[in-house]
Structures are given as C-alpha cells and as structure tokens.
Amino acid sequence: DGGITQSPKYLFRKEGQNVTLSCEQNLNHDAMYWYRQDPGQGLRLIYYSQIVNDFQKGDIAEGYSVSREKKESFPLTVTSAQKNPTAFYLCASTDTGTGGSDTQYFGPGTRLTVL
Amino acid sequence: AQSVAQPEDQVNVAEGNPLTVKCTYSVSGNPYLFWYVQYPNRGLQFLLKYITGDNLVKGSYGFEAEFNKSQTSFHLKKPSALVSDSALYFCAVRDNGGDDKIIFGKGTRLHILP
C-alpha cells in the first residue's frame, strides 16, 4: 500500500448523512482515482483526476463528489443521494508523466457501512 | 471501448501444482496489461505488467504472465502454488491510445488447497 493513505479504515454513516473519505499520496503522482468494490463485481470507477483542479466522472459517479485542490489529496464525498453506499472504497494513483510507469498504486481502503 | 474478462470466479489448485488464472481483453489500440492481488480487507497490490517487449512477463512472488496478441489473452501463471497464494486476483487493461482509465476484471478467487 506504500505511499497512499486512506482514512478512516472503517466508517459508519446514518441515512441522509454526507461523509468524506480521505486519500493522500506522497508519490508525486499526477493521476488519482476512486473505485468502489462490491462482492462479485470487481472494481468500478467512481471519479478520476489527471491533474490538479480537474476531474472526470467514472462509470458510477452519481451520488458522489470529489475535489482536487492539491496534487497529493483527492477526497471523496459520499452524499445522501447515493442510495446504496455500503461498500469498500479504494483510492489509487498513477504516475502518468513522461517516463511514468503506468502502474496504479492503491491505498488500504475504507469500508463504509450505512446504519 | 476497452474491456477485460476473467472467465472464472474461482480456481482451486492443490499446493505444489501449477496454477493458471485466465484473462482476456479487448482494446482498440495497443494494450497495457496488469495483474493485481488483493488479500482480505486490503488494497490491491501490483504483481506484474505488460507494456511492450517480451511476451512472457515475470513479476512478484514467482508469478508470471504471458501476453498472447492473437488470442487477446494475458493469463497469470505460477509453476508451483503455495497456500499463501490464496487471494483475489484482478486483471486490468489500459488502452495505450486512450485516456488514463484502467479497466479491471471482476476478479478470480484463487484457493490453494494444502
């Protein structure tokens, strides 16, 4: 999991609450990603950002929001509009610059449970 | 659009036997191919990748994968399985001519039987 931290490890949310998941990387990577993992469905892309102050929707962006104000940080907010937010959330980053490795490095994940 | 398929939800192998976890892909350009492993309640760990060059790629923990362009496959292999290899394995693909999105397969759970 080196170089990427996610917090908290476990998060509990009540119905109707917004919650924010933290992702920080010290790898100086340009691109960062948020995935959602559900049993039997693999990883689904929520949002990604290729550069500071810019981000794009992934395949399942509804009910989520992100910001990229700093290169090292890419927080994800799960809003009350997300109807089934219970899942394991993974953050990743990639060095997409010239000579970059194209390999995605993942954080340890945050398990979100709606009560 | 790029896609990746892992046709087996689960693979069971006896310890000491060779193992294969299958992956096929579809991209419009040249593929970048990856294998990752995930242990319970952890993030994904990078195993190996194919970008260009030799079709046989060697990676971490004794794993290797063979890129087969004609069959659009990138199967993960290991000559002798260990119980500690039991985990969830993901194949992933990125289109070299596309954006920075990487598409992941649904994963294959590998059980190594002692």
Side-chain angles (χ1 to χ4, degrees):
Chain A
D1 304 333
I4 301 179
T5 58
Q6 291 185 242
S7 62
K9 187 176 176 70
Y10 298 97
L11 185 58
F12 298 91
R13 191 193 94 170
K14 293 181 180 179
E15 294 275 356
Q17 264 185 341
N18 292 356
V19 291
T20 297
L21 283 59
S22 169
C23 178
E24 303 278 333
Q25 54 100 358
N26 62 4
L27 301 169
N28 199 35
H29 286 172
D30 294 308
M32 296 186 74
Y33 307 78
W34 273 106
Y35 294 93
R36 171 180 171 142
Q37 185 179 18
D38 296 280
Q41 295 197 47
L43 274 66
R44 292 184 290 169
L45 182 64
I46 304 172
Y47 268 98
Y48 66 107
S49 168
Q50 295 171 291
I51 197 170
V52 174
N53 292 322
D54 188 41
F55 48 82
Q56 287 79 41
K57 292 182 178 180
D59 301 316
I60 56 164
E62 185 175 351
Y64 300 97
S65 66
V66 293
S67 63
R68 186 86 186 277
E69 297 176 0
K70 298 186 295 183
K71 187 175 186 178
E72 59 269 25
S73 178
F74 191 41
L76 173 74
T77 297
V78 184
T79 74
S80 57
Q82 170 50 237
K83 297 306 179 188
N84 185 22
T86 295
F88 191 50
Y89 290 86
L90 289 163
C91 179
S93 71
T94 303
D95 180 6
T96 55
T98 301
S101 71
D102 296 297
T103 301
Q104 283 199 343
Y105 294 90
F106 283 81
T110 292
R111 186 165 296 281
L112 173 63
T113 303
V114 174
L115 302 174
Chain B
Q2 64 223 49
S3 65
V4 61
Q6 294 180 243
E8 303 152 317
D9 291 334
Q10 182 169 310
V11 172
N12 297 321
V13 177
E15 186 177 24
N17 282 2
L19 69 87
T20 299
V21 182
K22 295 179 180 178
C23 173
T24 58
Y25 67 90
S26 174
V27 297
S28 55
N30 292 320
Y32 287 6
L33 293 155
F34 306 84
W35 275 102
Y36 289 84
V37 61
Q38 185 182 34
Y39 297 97
N41 294 310
R42 301 289 299 276
L44 275 65
Q45 296 177 32
F46 169 73
L47 278 178
L48 52 79
K49 68 180 178 183
Y50 171 83
I51 303 295
T52 187
D54 289 341
N55 290 341
L56 184 64
V57 180
K58 294 187 182 297
S60 306
Y61 312 120
F63 284 93
E64 58 189 28
E66 186 167 11
F67 170 63
N68 188 317
K69 188 172 183 178
S70 62
Q71 297 186 6
T72 62
S73 67
F74 190 58
H75 301 330
L76 182 70
K77 299 182 179 185
K78 187 172 182 180
S80 179
L82 301 172
V83 173
S84 58
D85 293 329
S86 298
L88 186 57
Y89 290 80
F90 289 96
C91 181
V93 65
R94 177 188 159 201
D95 188 335
N96 185 23
D99 56 25
D100 292 326
K101 290 170 61 176
I102 295 179
I103 303 300
F104 286 82
K106 292 188 175 183
T108 297
R109 189 162 298 281
L110 179 63
H111 286 284
I112 307 303
L113 309 171

